[in-house]
Amino acid sequence: MKKWLFILLVNAYWVQAQNQNNNWFFGTYLGMNFSNNIMTPIPDNTSIMYSPAASSSLSDNATGNLLFYTNGTTVFNKAHTAMPNGQLKTSPYVSNCMVVKGSNKKHLIFYTNENNIIYYAMVDMSLNNGFGDVVYKDSLLGTNMDLQFTAVRLPNNQGHWLVTHKKGDNRFFSYKIVDCTINKTPVISIAGQPTYSNTQYLYGKLTTNRRGDKLAYIFSNSDINSADPCIVQEFSIDKKCGTITLSKSVFDFLGGIYAKSGYVCYDSSGRFLYVSYYTSSDLFFLCQYDMNTANPSSSRVIIANSHESIGDLQIGSNGKIYLTGSESRTFTSKISVINQPWLQGTNCDFKQNSIQLRKQPFLGSIGAEHFPNFVLDVSNQFQYTGTPQLNITPNCVLTQSIFQLKDSTDLLYDSLFWDFGDNNTSKKITTTHTYQTAGKFIVSFNWFVCNTKFSLVDTIKIGEKPTINLGNDTTLCFGSKITLTATQNADTYKWNTGDTSPYIQVNKPGKYSVKVSNGGCYNEDTIHIEYYPSLFTALGDEYFICDKEKELVKLDAGEKFTHYKWTPTDDTTQWIIVGTVGEYFVVVKDFRGCDGSDGTLVKRKCPVSLYLPNAFTPNGDGLNDTYAPIASDVETFHMNIYNRWGELVFTTNTMSKQWDGTVNAKLAQSDVYIYEVKYSGYINKKIQHFETKGNLTLLR
């Protein structure tokens, strides 16, 4: 059970990393899609491409949606129409092509012709309303090549190496590609057995494992009558430098039966190499080799053999390996599959002609000899760290400073050293150094990769340790403020309040700390500030006197204070006696020098009095023309006046509104009227309510 779980996890990683290879278009208008059902690809009949020998495509790595595809002759967009500038220079027979993903929606296409020439073009997917177009094409990369190539990722996914082979010898050429820029001066490696110089085409294939650190190469002589054997060799790839070295060779092809052409493909783990080849005895074989053994030839397991074609091999995004083939020596649209290629021997579950792509012919015969050529390397797909950055923690004179890198986990180097700028160095990637004098120093981190030097440079300041003293812990009077000041000669300040200035003003209790730096030197200090409780003096909310009776009131601020100051009397005693209404305020101070204050109001409250006249004469002579009570110190008042029939002729809620002897703007007749009055006022400083009724006479 655990073994199967591991296999599923491996394949899940492969699927996630290889969405860019989800759409396969190849052969005569054939296609497969791995997006919707990863365990079984869905036939895709949308291709308009005829590709007898070469094809490649690119899909969006996040969604798996098609971006474009090509047969090395024409570049087709996702709508299955040729891009406006998509016609390439090659002849109708293109032996190989490959799309290499770039950045910023720009990607490269490499393609060949029968003259052993490799060309390249660039597609910009931001053009043509997102359908893309070819920016430039038919650029020469190399001549006299074996016409087989593959690609692996640079470390940390920063680009690719395009790897190809020189015709007729044992030289590999590795071209470095970064952001669609090709270094046309290749890294040349001499490794393995020379290919056959009399072969016009290389009948075979270059492929890599998914880690991109192994390369399998099968080649043969194109002359079917030649005694030259078909050879499989495995090479190791140094992805830092692009160099290639021979790892293992497989020469044992069925006890001396010469193979004439063939294909190779690794399983998703990279352990098993599957080889298909055609022999001089008119047989097709599919074999499995365990490349983890010292002698892979001895591990050979024949998975299948037939007089029917067992052709090209390619691994899908589901981890299965697919094979082209033929029926009655005619290419067919049926695809074979190795369902569990990570299992040893016949347990790999090979099913021949198990997938039918197109059932009806389309523009003639249908079928495929070759699958698309993809970048299979998915290493570092989720481990990109970018360019390393210096991470220096400078310290004071005579104190260790720390030197290290950010994002250095995947840093590749042959050698390295730090230069501290004071004639001292270190060869450790993380190290410390103690400066003997203060000042500015130019620090560099230097590393070498493939005889090329790289450097990161920074300037640091080494200083003396700053002095700082916030003072002793203290207690302040309630409501007071204090200014805390750090040293004035620092580069940076960081208070625990978030402030970054040399000083802060404090008006709350708590712990206050500051950290200052000066040329890599740090110092800090802390102070605790408490507050005394606020002074409390209670004068009372308000007092009442009757000034016309010359009443007095005593205001007392309390006896626990050392100083008193009254406003507006300017007295400095504990208590004062006042006989005037108004606002009074006192400021007190205790033995600690803390201040407190309080205020109160002295209001007028005299006994209420009210007299209601029994007649008035509204005749306009200016005497007794209106009717109103004669009163003093009335708090609330309401009066209604009625005629003899009980009809309301006047009402008021204020003393200032008086009856002028009219009703509805007409003169009221002379008569006797009835009044009802409700009012309130103070008697002995307590509120009292009164009601009274009576008669009044209106005379004209």
Side-chain angles (χ1 to χ4, degrees), residues 376-397:
L376 301 178
D377 179 3
V378 295
S379 61
N380 296 321
Q381 181 75 11
F382 305 107
Q383 302 174 12
Y384 175 67
T385 58
T387 302
Q389 298 178 4
L390 295 182
N391 186 14
I392 301 174
T393 306
N395 215 321
C396 309
V397 171

Side-chain angles (χ1 to χ4, degrees), residues 440-453:
K440 291 184 177 180
F441 298 89
I442 299 176
V443 177
S444 65
F445 175 75
N446 310 273
W447 72 101
F448 295 85
V449 181
C450 309
N451 298 319
T452 301
K453 181 181 179 181

